Amino acid sequence: MRNDHRPSLSYADAGVDIDAGAQLVQRIKPLVRATARPGSDAEIGGFGGVFDLKAAGFKDPVLVAANDGVGTKVKVAIEAGRNETVGIDLVAMCVNDLVVQGAEPLFFLDYFATGKLDPAEGEKLVAGIAAGCREAGCALIGGETAEMPGLYQGRDYDLAGFAVGAAERGTLLPRPDVEPGDVVLGLASSGLHSNGFSLVRRIVEKSGIGWHEPAPFDTKLTLAEALLTPTRIYVRSVLGTLREADAKNALKALAHITGGGFPENIPRVLPKGMGVELDLASIEVPPVFRWLAATGPVAQDEMLRAFNCGIGMVIIASRHASQAVQRAFEEQGERVSIIGEVVKASGARVTYGGRLAL
């Protein structure tokens, strides 16, 4: 065997810093511990996270799982150097999908991939994820950090999230008794949430406005700050409403308004042959959507497909008790409006009356 005096290559020479990954794990451990809830110990470092359903108080649970990402909203965060809140978006997009099925979010895992790991920036991202988990009442029990030079360039990164929730057997939503005359309510969004950002970025580029300049629709904030407003988490208000007897008996279905807007998401919770007719004039449209529509320009139908237009969650409630549902959500701190009713449908499942205030 001949001697080889060539310098030995390391993983760091290939662009992967194992020590940086270990440093990040140590930095985020206190953040993870802060998300502990009954059923979890919220400690990380093992090969898998553990959750005890019995300790969480469930007797005959059905598990519900969801996963999602933040989409190209992360590009706004990266370009503006503001990575503190997209972790909240990541949690929100997953747990809002769980709670519309009547499930209580229990635990969350994240996947963070980047070209060059910066432990300080990674800590900011995980701090946002932990904040979202605390708001949703779920434990951050694990995750994965991947440093992949060559696949991600510069400061680019991506996020994915995985949430698991539970509901007692027989309580899942939607209910099968949605019928014509049921009332459609809308819960106000906090802004764009995490959908349509490829179109948003195209419009921003066309406008010529920089991320750190005042937002034309809210001059108290920079454009980046305004667009990065975190997705609203509806978990506490939905679960709180489902604990109110009158509201629980009247609430039949919920739809999270994400990618695809109204026409794609509402039919997902409707029985065959049912649709909704929405009164667009009853929707309070936040200024950011008016600016996007005017600057694009973007037509109303495309706005309704690409964005939430001010409604982050849709509720279907029985007509005779819809006021109880509305009151329960308002008591939980939501802004609620009546935006339509359920109708029979043989063609389009979502139809409109009036126009958005764009």
Side-chain angles (χ1 to χ4, degrees), residues 80-118:
R82 300 188 63 89
N83 300 308
E84 299 87 353
T85 60
V86 287
I88 299 174
D89 291 292
L90 183 67
V91 176
M93 297 302 287
C94 295
V95 298
N96 285 343
D97 280 353
L98 292 183
V99 80
V100 296
Q101 297 177 80
E104 175 187 345
L106 301 176
F107 58 88
F108 189 86
L109 299 97
D110 70 278
Y111 175 75
F112 165 44
T114 184
K116 180 64 176 177
L117 182 60
D118 180 334

PDB file of all heavy atoms in Angstrom, residues 80-118:
ATOM      1  N   ALA A  80     -35.154  40.944   2.225  1.00  0.00           N
ATOM      2  CA  ALA A  80     -35.280  42.065   3.160  1.00  0.00           C
ATOM      3  C   ALA A  80     -34.463  41.860   4.426  1.00  0.00           C
ATOM      4  O   ALA A  80     -34.339  42.779   5.240  1.00  0.00           O
ATOM      5  CB  ALA A  80     -36.758  42.266   3.521  1.00  0.00           C
ATOM      6  N   GLY A  81     -33.911  40.659   4.612  1.00  0.00           N
ATOM      7  CA  GLY A  81     -33.147  40.368   5.820  1.00  0.00           C
ATOM      8  C   GLY A  81     -34.005  40.325   7.069  1.00  0.00           C
ATOM      9  O   GLY A  81     -33.537  40.673   8.156  1.00  0.00           O
ATOM     10  N   ARG A  82     -35.244  39.866   6.917  1.00  0.00           N
ATOM     11  CA  ARG A  82     -36.173  39.802   8.060  1.00  0.00           C
ATOM     12  C   ARG A  82     -36.733  38.380   8.151  1.00  0.00           C
ATOM     13  O   ARG A  82     -37.744  38.049   7.545  1.00  0.00           O
ATOM     14  CB  ARG A  82     -37.305  40.811   7.908  1.00  0.00           C
ATOM     15  CG  ARG A  82     -36.837  42.267   7.820  1.00  0.00           C
ATOM     16  CD  ARG A  82     -38.032  43.207   7.857  1.00  0.00           C
ATOM     17  NE  ARG A  82     -38.744  43.099   9.113  1.00  0.00           N
ATOM     18  CZ  ARG A  82     -38.477  43.825  10.207  1.00  0.00           C
ATOM     19  NH1 ARG A  82     -37.509  44.705  10.187  1.00  0.00           N
ATOM     20  NH2 ARG A  82     -39.185  43.673  11.308  1.00  0.00           N
ATOM     21  N   ASN A  83     -36.037  37.547   8.922  1.00  0.00           N
ATOM     22  CA  ASN A  83     -36.390  36.131   9.003  1.00  0.00           C
ATOM     23  C   ASN A  83     -37.080  35.747  10.306  1.00  0.00           C
ATOM     24  O   ASN A  83     -37.251  34.565  10.598  1.00  0.00           O
ATOM     25  CB  ASN A  83     -35.120  35.280   8.825  1.00  0.00           C
ATOM     26  CG  ASN A  83     -34.448  35.519   7.492  1.00  0.00           C
ATOM     27  OD1 ASN A  83     -35.082  35.432   6.449  1.00  0.00           O
ATOM     28  ND2 ASN A  83     -33.151  35.845   7.518  1.00  0.00           N
ATOM     29  N   GLU A  84     -37.521  36.750  11.070  1.00  0.00           N
ATOM     30  CA  GLU A  84     -38.030  36.462  12.416  1.00  0.00           C
ATOM     31  C   GLU A  84     -39.436  35.873  12.436  1.00  0.00           C
ATOM     32  O   GLU A  84     -39.801  35.208  13.409  1.00  0.00           O
ATOM     33  CB  GLU A  84     -38.027  37.748  13.265  1.00  0.00           C
ATOM     34  CG  GLU A  84     -36.657  38.376  13.471  1.00  0.00           C
ATOM     35  CD  GLU A  84     -36.249  39.333  12.361  1.00  0.00           C
ATOM     36  OE1 GLU A  84     -36.986  39.417  11.347  1.00  0.00           O
ATOM     37  OE2 GLU A  84     -35.220  39.997  12.500  1.00  0.00           O
ATOM     38  N   THR A  85     -40.248  36.117  11.410  1.00  0.00           N
ATOM     39  CA  THR A  85     -41.667  35.767  11.520  1.00  0.00           C
ATOM     40  C   THR A  85     -42.145  34.686  10.556  1.00  0.00           C
ATOM     41  O   THR A  85     -43.258  34.200  10.713  1.00  0.00           O
ATOM     42  CB  THR A  85     -42.549  37.011  11.310  1.00  0.00           C
ATOM     43  OG1 THR A  85     -42.316  37.561  10.011  1.00  0.00           O
ATOM     44  CG2 THR A  85     -42.270  38.063  12.375  1.00  0.00           C
ATOM     45  N   VAL A  86     -41.335  34.303   9.560  1.00  0.00           N
ATOM     46  CA  VAL A  86     -41.829  33.300   8.617  1.00  0.00           C
ATOM     47  C   VAL A  86     -42.042  31.944   9.292  1.00  0.00           C
ATOM     48  O   VAL A  86     -42.815  31.112   8.798  1.00  0.00           O
ATOM     49  CB  VAL A  86     -40.917  33.156   7.377  1.00  0.00           C
ATOM     50  CG1 VAL A  86     -41.067  34.346   6.464  1.00  0.00           C
ATOM     51  CG2 VAL A  86     -39.468  32.933   7.776  1.00  0.00           C
ATOM     52  N   GLY A  87     -41.394  31.718  10.419  1.00  0.00           N
ATOM     53  CA  GLY A  87     -41.653  30.493  11.174  1.00  0.00           C
ATOM     54  C   GLY A  87     -43.076  30.451  11.700  1.00  0.00           C
ATOM     55  O   GLY A  87     -43.692  29.375  11.791  1.00  0.00           O
ATOM     56  N   ILE A  88     -43.613  31.613  12.072  1.00  0.00           N
ATOM     57  CA  ILE A  88     -45.019  31.673  12.499  1.00  0.00           C
ATOM     58  C   ILE A  88     -45.917  31.276  11.333  1.00  0.00           C
ATOM     59  O   ILE A  88     -46.875  30.505  11.495  1.00  0.00           O
ATOM     60  CB  ILE A  88     -45.374  33.082  13.000  1.00  0.00           C
ATOM     61  CG1 ILE A  88     -44.503  33.464  14.201  1.00  0.00           C
ATOM     62  CG2 ILE A  88     -46.867  33.163  13.366  1.00  0.00           C
ATOM     63  CD1 ILE A  88     -44.696  34.895  14.663  1.00  0.00           C
ATOM     64  N   ASP A  89     -45.604  31.791  10.141  1.00  0.00           N
ATOM     65  CA  ASP A  89     -46.357  31.419   8.945  1.00  0.00           C
ATOM     66  C   ASP A  89     -46.337  29.909   8.739  1.00  0.00           C
ATOM     67  O   ASP A  89     -47.354  29.301   8.395  1.00  0.00           O
ATOM     68  CB  ASP A  89     -45.760  32.083   7.704  1.00  0.00           C
ATOM     69  CG  ASP A  89     -45.963  33.588   7.675  1.00  0.00           C
ATOM     70  OD1 ASP A  89     -47.112  34.015   7.538  1.00  0.00           O
ATOM     71  OD2 ASP A  89     -44.977  34.319   7.793  1.00  0.00           O
ATOM     72  N   LEU A  90     -45.172  29.308   8.926  1.00  0.00           N
ATOM     73  CA  LEU A  90     -45.036  27.875   8.701  1.00  0.00           C
ATOM     74  C   LEU A  90     -45.981  27.083   9.590  1.00  0.00           C
ATOM     75  O   LEU A  90     -46.681  26.172   9.132  1.00  0.00           O
ATOM     76  CB  LEU A  90     -43.583  27.456   8.961  1.00  0.00           C
ATOM     77  CG  LEU A  90     -43.274  25.989   8.692  1.00  0.00           C
ATOM     78  CD1 LEU A  90     -43.382  25.681   7.207  1.00  0.00           C
ATOM     79  CD2 LEU A  90     -41.882  25.632   9.221  1.00  0.00           C
ATOM     80  N   VAL A  91     -46.004  27.428  10.869  1.00  0.00           N
ATOM     81  CA  VAL A  91     -46.905  26.744  11.795  1.00  0.00           C
ATOM     82  C   VAL A  91     -48.357  27.014  11.433  1.00  0.00           C
ATOM     83  O   VAL A  91     -49.193  26.102  11.388  1.00  0.00           O
ATOM     84  CB  VAL A  91     -46.621  27.187  13.244  1.00  0.00           C
ATOM     85  CG1 VAL A  91     -47.617  26.553  14.212  1.00  0.00           C
ATOM     86  CG2 VAL A  91     -45.190  26.818  13.647  1.00  0.00           C
ATOM     87  N   ALA A  92     -48.661  28.275  11.148  1.00  0.00           N
ATOM     88  CA  ALA A  92     -50.044  28.663  10.863  1.00  0.00           C
ATOM     89  C   ALA A  92     -50.625  27.889   9.693  1.00  0.00           C
ATOM     90  O   ALA A  92     -51.771  27.425   9.731  1.00  0.00           O
ATOM     91  CB  ALA A  92     -50.124  30.166  10.587  1.00  0.00           C
ATOM     92  N   MET A  93     -49.844  27.757   8.619  1.00  0.00           N
ATOM     93  CA  MET A  93     -50.354  27.090   7.427  1.00  0.00           C
ATOM     94  C   MET A  93     -50.693  25.628   7.697  1.00  0.00           C
ATOM     95  O   MET A  93     -51.584  25.058   7.060  1.00  0.00           O
ATOM     96  CB  MET A  93     -49.348  27.204   6.286  1.00  0.00           C
ATOM     97  CG  MET A  93     -49.099  28.641   5.838  1.00  0.00           C
ATOM     98  SD  MET A  93     -50.595  29.502   5.300  1.00  0.00           S
ATOM     99  CE  MET A  93     -50.886  28.693   3.732  1.00  0.00           C
ATOM    100  N   CYS A  94     -50.004  25.009   8.628  1.00  0.00           N
ATOM    101  CA  CYS A  94     -50.273  23.609   8.973  1.00  0.00           C
ATOM    102  C   CYS A  94     -51.409  23.472   9.985  1.00  0.00           C
ATOM    103  O   CYS A  94     -52.342  22.696   9.780  1.00  0.00           O
ATOM    104  CB  CYS A  94     -49.011  22.961   9.527  1.00  0.00           C
ATOM    105  SG  CYS A  94     -47.648  22.826   8.345  1.00  0.00           S
ATOM    106  N   VAL A  95     -51.335  24.226  11.081  1.00  0.00           N
ATOM    107  CA  VAL A  95     -52.327  24.024  12.147  1.00  0.00           C
ATOM    108  C   VAL A  95     -53.700  24.540  11.759  1.00  0.00           C
ATOM    109  O   VAL A  95     -54.720  24.008  12.216  1.00  0.00           O
ATOM    110  CB  VAL A  95     -51.857  24.648  13.478  1.00  0.00           C
ATOM    111  CG1 VAL A  95     -50.575  23.986  13.959  1.00  0.00           C
ATOM    112  CG2 VAL A  95     -51.689  26.157  13.370  1.00  0.00           C
ATOM    113  N   ASN A  96     -53.769  25.573  10.910  1.00  0.00           N
ATOM    114  CA  ASN A  96     -55.081  26.027  10.433  1.00  0.00           C
ATOM    115  C   ASN A  96     -55.758  24.948   9.590  1.00  0.00           C
ATOM    116  O   ASN A  96     -56.986  24.843   9.572  1.00  0.00           O
ATOM    117  CB  ASN A  96     -54.939  27.320   9.625  1.00  0.00           C
ATOM    118  CG  ASN A  96     -54.697  28.536  10.492  1.00  0.00           C
ATOM    119  OD1 ASN A  96     -54.922  28.516  11.697  1.00  0.00           O
ATOM    120  ND2 ASN A  96     -54.228  29.618   9.890  1.00  0.00           N
ATOM    121  N   ASP A  97     -54.951  24.140   8.876  1.00  0.00           N
ATOM    122  CA  ASP A  97     -55.520  23.032   8.118  1.00  0.00           C
ATOM    123  C   ASP A  97     -56.038  21.921   9.036  1.00  0.00           C
ATOM    124  O   ASP A  97     -56.960  21.193   8.676  1.00  0.00           O
ATOM    125  CB  ASP A  97     -54.481  22.453   7.155  1.00  0.00           C
ATOM    126  CG  ASP A  97     -54.334  23.270   5.882  1.00  0.00           C
ATOM    127  OD1 ASP A  97     -55.122  24.214   5.666  1.00  0.00           O
ATOM    128  OD2 ASP A  97     -53.427  22.960   5.086  1.00  0.00           O
ATOM    129  N   LEU A  98     -55.415  21.774  10.193  1.00  0.00           N
ATOM    130  CA  LEU A  98     -55.885  20.767  11.152  1.00  0.00           C
ATOM    131  C   LEU A  98     -57.172  21.193  11.834  1.00  0.00           C
ATOM    132  O   LEU A  98     -58.123  20.412  11.954  1.00  0.00           O
ATOM    133  CB  LEU A  98     -54.822  20.528  12.232  1.00  0.00           C
ATOM    134  CG  LEU A  98     -53.513  19.865  11.857  1.00  0.00           C
ATOM    135  CD1 LEU A  98     -52.668  19.670  13.109  1.00  0.00           C
ATOM    136  CD2 LEU A  98     -53.742  18.529  11.177  1.00  0.00           C
ATOM    137  N   VAL A  99     -57.206  22.434  12.291  1.00  0.00           N
ATOM    138  CA  VAL A  99     -58.312  22.857  13.148  1.00  0.00           C
ATOM    139  C   VAL A  99     -59.620  22.963  12.381  1.00  0.00           C
ATOM    140  O   VAL A  99     -60.694  22.827  12.968  1.00  0.00           O
ATOM    141  CB  VAL A  99     -57.949  24.171  13.874  1.00  0.00           C
ATOM    142  CG1 VAL A  99     -58.123  25.387  12.973  1.00  0.00           C
ATOM    143  CG2 VAL A  99     -58.756  24.324  15.161  1.00  0.00           C
ATOM    144  N   VAL A 100     -59.573  23.176  11.047  1.00  0.00           N
ATOM    145  CA  VAL A 100     -60.825  23.220  10.295  1.00  0.00           C
ATOM    146  C   VAL A 100     -61.501  21.861  10.271  1.00  0.00           C
ATOM    147  O   VAL A 100     -62.690  21.753   9.948  1.00  0.00           O
ATOM    148  CB  VAL A 100     -60.628  23.722   8.846  1.00  0.00           C
ATOM    149  CG1 VAL A 100     -60.146  25.154   8.831  1.00  0.00           C
ATOM    150  CG2 VAL A 100     -59.710  22.809   8.055  1.00  0.00           C
ATOM    151  N   GLN A 101     -60.778  20.816  10.631  1.00  0.00           N
ATOM    152  CA  GLN A 101     -61.371  19.482  10.723  1.00  0.00           C
ATOM    153  C   GLN A 101     -61.793  19.144  12.149  1.00  0.00           C
ATOM    154  O   GLN A 101     -62.154  18.004  12.445  1.00  0.00           O
ATOM    155  CB  GLN A 101     -60.381  18.443  10.186  1.00  0.00           C
ATOM    156  CG  GLN A 101     -60.076  18.653   8.705  1.00  0.00           C
ATOM    157  CD  GLN A 101     -59.042  17.693   8.181  1.00  0.00           C
ATOM    158  OE1 GLN A 101     -59.339  16.538   7.884  1.00  0.00           O
ATOM    159  NE2 GLN A 101     -57.808  18.171   8.072  1.00  0.00           N
ATOM    160  N   GLY A 102     -61.725  20.153  13.014  1.00  0.00           N
ATOM    161  CA  GLY A 102     -62.120  19.953  14.404  1.00  0.00           C
ATOM    162  C   GLY A 102     -61.046  19.324  15.250  1.00  0.00           C
ATOM    163  O   GLY A 102     -61.308  18.901  16.380  1.00  0.00           O
ATOM    164  N   ALA A 103     -59.822  19.254  14.741  1.00  0.00           N
ATOM    165  CA  ALA A 103     -58.729  18.616  15.465  1.00  0.00           C
ATOM    166  C   ALA A 103     -57.912  19.630  16.251  1.00  0.00           C
ATOM    167  O   ALA A 103     -57.671  20.745  15.787  1.00  0.00           O
ATOM    168  CB  ALA A 103     -57.817  17.871  14.489  1.00  0.00           C
ATOM    169  N   GLU A 104     -57.469  19.233  17.432  1.00  0.00           N
ATOM    170  CA  GLU A 104     -56.583  20.052  18.259  1.00  0.00           C
ATOM    171  C   GLU A 104     -55.142  19.760  17.880  1.00  0.00           C
ATOM    172  O   GLU A 104     -54.699  18.609  17.974  1.00  0.00           O
ATOM    173  CB  GLU A 104     -56.798  19.733  19.737  1.00  0.00           C
ATOM    174  CG  GLU A 104     -55.842  20.456  20.675  1.00  0.00           C
ATOM    175  CD  GLU A 104     -55.960  19.998  22.114  1.00  0.00           C
ATOM    176  OE1 GLU A 104     -56.963  19.325  22.452  1.00  0.00           O
ATOM    177  OE2 GLU A 104     -55.032  20.291  22.904  1.00  0.00           O
ATOM    178  N   PRO A 105     -54.374  20.743  17.423  1.00  0.00           N
ATOM    179  CA  PRO A 105     -52.958  20.495  17.098  1.00  0.00           C
ATOM    180  C   PRO A 105     -52.191  20.055  18.343  1.00  0.00           C
ATOM    181  O   PRO A 105     -52.305  20.674  19.405  1.00  0.00           O
ATOM    182  CB  PRO A 105     -52.463  21.845  16.592  1.00  0.00           C
ATOM    183  CG  PRO A 105     -53.709  22.555  16.142  1.00  0.00           C
ATOM    184  CD  PRO A 105     -54.774  22.121  17.095  1.00  0.00           C
ATOM    185  N   LEU A 106     -51.419  18.993  18.207  1.00  0.00           N
ATOM    186  CA  LEU A 106     -50.690  18.427  19.336  1.00  0.00           C
ATOM    187  C   LEU A 106     -49.190  18.648  19.231  1.00  0.00           C
ATOM    188  O   LEU A 106     -48.561  19.079  20.181  1.00  0.00           O
ATOM    189  CB  LEU A 106     -50.963  16.922  19.442  1.00  0.00           C
ATOM    190  CG  LEU A 106     -52.421  16.508  19.614  1.00  0.00           C
ATOM    191  CD1 LEU A 106     -52.539  14.992  19.603  1.00  0.00           C
ATOM    192  CD2 LEU A 106     -52.991  17.090  20.903  1.00  0.00           C
ATOM    193  N   PHE A 107     -48.626  18.335  18.072  1.00  0.00           N
ATOM    194  CA  PHE A 107     -47.184  18.520  17.944  1.00  0.00           C
ATOM    195  C   PHE A 107     -46.807  18.890  16.521  1.00  0.00           C
ATOM    196  O   PHE A 107     -47.579  18.705  15.581  1.00  0.00           O
ATOM    197  CB  PHE A 107     -46.397  17.302  18.419  1.00  0.00           C
ATOM    198  CG  PHE A 107     -46.712  16.009  17.715  1.00  0.00           C
ATOM    199  CD1 PHE A 107     -46.049  15.653  16.548  1.00  0.00           C
ATOM    200  CD2 PHE A 107     -47.617  15.114  18.254  1.00  0.00           C
ATOM    201  CE1 PHE A 107     -46.307  14.456  15.909  1.00  0.00           C
ATOM    202  CE2 PHE A 107     -47.887  13.908  17.634  1.00  0.00           C
ATOM    203  CZ  PHE A 107     -47.233  13.569  16.453  1.00  0.00           C
ATOM    204  N   PHE A 108     -45.598  19.426  16.395  1.00  0.00           N
ATOM    205  CA  PHE A 108     -45.122  20.013  15.143  1.00  0.00           C
ATOM    206  C   PHE A 108     -43.663  19.641  14.936  1.00  0.00           C
ATOM    207  O   PHE A 108     -42.895  19.549  15.894  1.00  0.00           O
ATOM    208  CB  PHE A 108     -45.259  21.543  15.222  1.00  0.00           C
ATOM    209  CG  PHE A 108     -45.009  22.265  13.922  1.00  0.00           C
ATOM    210  CD1 PHE A 108     -46.035  22.447  13.010  1.00  0.00           C
ATOM    211  CD2 PHE A 108     -43.753  22.767  13.618  1.00  0.00           C
ATOM    212  CE1 PHE A 108     -45.812  23.103  11.807  1.00  0.00           C
ATOM    213  CE2 PHE A 108     -43.523  23.427  12.424  1.00  0.00           C
ATOM    214  CZ  PHE A 108     -44.563  23.594  11.510  1.00  0.00           C
ATOM    215  N   LEU A 109     -43.308  19.394  13.689  1.00  0.00           N
ATOM    216  CA  LEU A 109     -41.916  19.185  13.306  1.00  0.00           C
ATOM    217  C   LEU A 109     -41.602  20.069  12.101  1.00  0.00           C
ATOM    218  O   LEU A 109     -42.486  20.306  11.269  1.00  0.00           O
ATOM    219  CB  LEU A 109     -41.637  17.719  12.945  1.00  0.00           C
ATOM    220  CG  LEU A 109     -41.871  16.688  14.048  1.00  0.00           C
ATOM    221  CD1 LEU A 109     -43.240  16.056  13.887  1.00  0.00           C
ATOM    222  CD2 LEU A 109     -40.799  15.604  14.025  1.00  0.00           C
ATOM    223  N   ASP A 110     -40.375  20.544  12.023  1.00  0.00           N
ATOM    224  CA  ASP A 110     -40.004  21.443  10.919  1.00  0.00           C
ATOM    225  C   ASP A 110     -38.827  20.875  10.139  1.00  0.00           C
ATOM    226  O   ASP A 110     -38.067  20.038  10.638  1.00  0.00           O
ATOM    227  CB  ASP A 110     -39.641  22.825  11.453  1.00  0.00           C
ATOM    228  CG  ASP A 110     -38.336  22.814  12.225  1.00  0.00           C
ATOM    229  OD1 ASP A 110     -38.359  22.443  13.420  1.00  0.00           O
ATOM    230  OD2 ASP A 110     -37.294  23.154  11.645  1.00  0.00           O
ATOM    231  N   TYR A 111     -38.708  21.345   8.903  1.00  0.00           N
ATOM    232  CA  TYR A 111     -37.570  21.017   8.042  1.00  0.00           C
ATOM    233  C   TYR A 111     -37.026  22.322   7.490  1.00  0.00           C
ATOM    234  O   TYR A 111     -37.760  23.091   6.851  1.00  0.00           O
ATOM    235  CB  TYR A 111     -38.010  20.102   6.901  1.00  0.00           C
ATOM    236  CG  TYR A 111     -36.923  19.799   5.891  1.00  0.00           C
ATOM    237  CD1 TYR A 111     -35.890  18.919   6.188  1.00  0.00           C
ATOM    238  CD2 TYR A 111     -36.942  20.402   4.642  1.00  0.00           C
ATOM    239  CE1 TYR A 111     -34.895  18.644   5.261  1.00  0.00           C
ATOM    240  CE2 TYR A 111     -35.943  20.130   3.703  1.00  0.00           C
ATOM    241  CZ  TYR A 111     -34.921  19.248   4.021  1.00  0.00           C
ATOM    242  OH  TYR A 111     -33.941  18.991   3.099  1.00  0.00           O
ATOM    243  N   PHE A 112     -35.764  22.598   7.763  1.00  0.00           N
ATOM    244  CA  PHE A 112     -35.099  23.845   7.364  1.00  0.00           C
ATOM    245  C   PHE A 112     -33.896  23.481   6.514  1.00  0.00           C
ATOM    246  O   PHE A 112     -32.975  22.805   6.985  1.00  0.00           O
ATOM    247  CB  PHE A 112     -34.692  24.619   8.626  1.00  0.00           C
ATOM    248  CG  PHE A 112     -33.706  25.739   8.410  1.00  0.00           C
ATOM    249  CD1 PHE A 112     -33.840  26.623   7.348  1.00  0.00           C
ATOM    250  CD2 PHE A 112     -32.649  25.927   9.294  1.00  0.00           C
ATOM    251  CE1 PHE A 112     -32.932  27.650   7.153  1.00  0.00           C
ATOM    252  CE2 PHE A 112     -31.752  26.964   9.123  1.00  0.00           C
ATOM    253  CZ  PHE A 112     -31.893  27.823   8.044  1.00  0.00           C
ATOM    254  N   ALA A 113     -33.917  23.886   5.246  1.00  0.00           N
ATOM    255  CA  ALA A 113     -32.830  23.572   4.330  1.00  0.00           C
ATOM    256  C   ALA A 113     -32.208  24.855   3.809  1.00  0.00           C
ATOM    257  O   ALA A 113     -32.918  25.802   3.455  1.00  0.00           O
ATOM    258  CB  ALA A 113     -33.348  22.739   3.160  1.00  0.00           C
ATOM    259  N   THR A 114     -30.873  24.901   3.746  1.00  0.00           N
ATOM    260  CA  THR A 114     -30.184  26.110   3.328  1.00  0.00           C
ATOM    261  C   THR A 114     -28.867  25.761   2.653  1.00  0.00           C
ATOM    262  O   THR A 114     -28.372  24.624   2.777  1.00  0.00           O
ATOM    263  CB  THR A 114     -29.928  27.036   4.539  1.00  0.00           C
ATOM    264  OG1 THR A 114     -29.348  28.256   4.103  1.00  0.00           O
ATOM    265  CG2 THR A 114     -29.015  26.368   5.560  1.00  0.00           C
ATOM    266  N   GLY A 115     -28.311  26.724   1.934  1.00  0.00           N
ATOM    267  CA  GLY A 115     -27.023  26.495   1.288  1.00  0.00           C
ATOM    268  C   GLY A 115     -25.859  26.670   2.227  1.00  0.00           C
ATOM    269  O   GLY A 115     -24.844  25.974   2.128  1.00  0.00           O
ATOM    270  N   LYS A 116     -25.965  27.613   3.154  1.00  0.00           N
ATOM    271  CA  LYS A 116     -24.907  27.881   4.124  1.00  0.00           C
ATOM    272  C   LYS A 116     -25.551  28.191   5.459  1.00  0.00           C
ATOM    273  O   LYS A 116     -26.254  29.197   5.604  1.00  0.00           O
ATOM    274  CB  LYS A 116     -24.045  29.063   3.656  1.00  0.00           C
ATOM    275  CG  LYS A 116     -22.903  29.427   4.595  1.00  0.00           C
ATOM    276  CD  LYS A 116     -21.892  28.295   4.692  1.00  0.00           C
ATOM    277  CE  LYS A 116     -20.700  28.685   5.560  1.00  0.00           C
ATOM    278  NZ  LYS A 116     -19.745  27.559   5.723  1.00  0.00           N
ATOM    279  N   LEU A 117     -25.340  27.347   6.437  1.00  0.00           N
ATOM    280  CA  LEU A 117     -26.003  27.485   7.724  1.00  0.00           C
ATOM    281  C   LEU A 117     -25.368  28.585   8.556  1.00  0.00           C
ATOM    282  O   LEU A 117     -24.167  28.564   8.834  1.00  0.00           O
ATOM    283  CB  LEU A 117     -25.956  26.159   8.485  1.00  0.00           C
ATOM    284  CG  LEU A 117     -26.669  26.137   9.841  1.00  0.00           C
ATOM    285  CD1 LEU A 117     -28.152  26.454   9.667  1.00  0.00           C
ATOM    286  CD2 LEU A 117     -26.485  24.789  10.515  1.00  0.00           C
ATOM    287  N   ASP A 118     -26.191  29.548   8.949  1.00  0.00           N
ATOM    288  CA  ASP A 118     -25.807  30.609   9.879  1.00  0.00           C
ATOM    289  C   ASP A 118     -26.583  30.352  11.166  1.00  0.00           C
ATOM    290  O   ASP A 118     -27.804  30.547  11.196  1.00  0.00           O
ATOM    291  CB  ASP A 118     -26.165  31.970   9.287  1.00  0.00           C
ATOM    292  CG  ASP A 118     -25.792  33.135  10.192  1.00  0.00           C
ATOM    293  OD1 ASP A 118     -25.730  32.934  11.426  1.00  0.00           O
ATOM    294  OD2 ASP A 118     -25.593  34.249   9.689  1.00  0.00           O
TER     295      ASP A 118
END
